[in-house]
Amino acid sequence: MKHVLSFINIFLISLSLSAASVEGWDKTRWGMSVDEVKELYAGSGIRESDRNQQVLVIESIRLNGRDYSVTFNFKTGMLAGVSIIMKEAMAYDYNEAVSSLSKKYGKTANSDQMTTVWLFPKTVITCKYSDYVGKGMLIITYSSQQEFFQ
C-alpha cells in the first residue's frame, strides 16, 4: 500500500511540475526582450508592427500543418503575451486546437461556448473561436499570469 501511495504522490508532483513549466510559447519565455525574440525567429519574416517596439509580428507561419499569424506583445520591452491567429477558421479548427492543447497541457480550467482556458502558475492559455458573418477566426493566446491579472 505504501508503494501505491508513493507512486501516486510522485505522479501528482510530476504533473504539477510539468504544469509549472509553461512560461511562454514555443521557444519564448516571459520577460524576453524584443531583440531576443527577433533572434529566435530570424528568417521567419518577423517584423516590428509599431514604432514603440512593443509588438512583433510573423505574418505567416505553418504550425501543425495549418497557416497562422503570430503576434508577440511586449510591455516595457519585455515579452508579456503571444497570440496565434488562424483567419478563415471553422468550428472544427477550434475543436482540433482544443484537443491538441488538452493533450499537451492537460485539464482545462474553464470551457464555455467556443472559449477554453488553461491556467498555470506563470501562464494563462486561451483558445477562442469567433464567427462574424461567416468568417471564422481562431485565436490562441498565451499570456503571462502577471500581465493577465493586472
Side-chain angles (χ1 to χ4, degrees):
M1 183 65 158
K2 281 185 178 181
H3 294 291
V4 172
L5 290 176
S6 294
F7 175 77
I8 291 171
N9 283 336
I10 290 169
F11 178 73
L12 292 174
I13 289 169
S14 69
L15 282 178
S16 68
L17 289 176
S18 66
S21 67
V22 180
E23 299 180 15
W25 172 76
D26 193 34
K27 301 178 274 188
T28 64
R29 298 295 167 254
W30 305 132
M32 291 180 96
S33 71
V34 171
D35 289 335
E36 288 173 315
V37 174
K38 280 183 183 177
E39 188 176 316
L40 278 177
Y41 295 95
S44 68
I46 194 166
R47 65 175 178 77
E48 293 175 15
S49 181
D50 73 355
R51 293 182 186 165
N52 297 324
Q53 294 187 337
Q54 296 298 303
V55 179
L56 295 175
V57 174
I58 300 173
E59 291 293 334
S60 181
I61 190 168
R62 197 110 171 124
L63 304 169
N64 299 325
R66 303 299 194 100
D67 292 320
Y68 291 85
S69 64
V70 179
T71 303
F72 301 90
N73 296 295
F74 297 81
K75 186 170 185 178
T76 62
M78 298 171 67
L79 184 63
V82 180
S83 296
I84 301 105
I85 301 167
M86 177 193 289
K87 296 177 182 169
E88 299 181 23
M90 303 295 282
Y92 67 83
D93 295 313
Y94 167 80
N95 293 330
E96 283 183 8
V98 168
S99 176
S100 178
L101 290 167
S102 292
K103 285 178 187 170
K104 184 172 184 176
Y105 298 116
K107 186 177 178 183
T108 64
N110 185 23
S111 187
D112 180 19
Q113 291 192 0
M114 304 306 248
T115 301
T116 303
V117 178
W118 292 262
L119 292 175
F120 301 95
K122 294 186 179 184
T123 303
V124 176
I125 302 171
T126 306
C127 183
K128 181 177 179 79
Y129 175 77
S130 299
D131 188 346
Y132 297 106
V133 193
K135 291 189 177 186
M137 185 178 295
L138 174 67
I139 304 169
I140 303 168
T141 305
Y142 289 70
S143 303
S144 162
Q145 274 276 23
Q146 181 178 354
E147 190 61 30
F148 190 82
F149 289 108
Q150 285 185 356

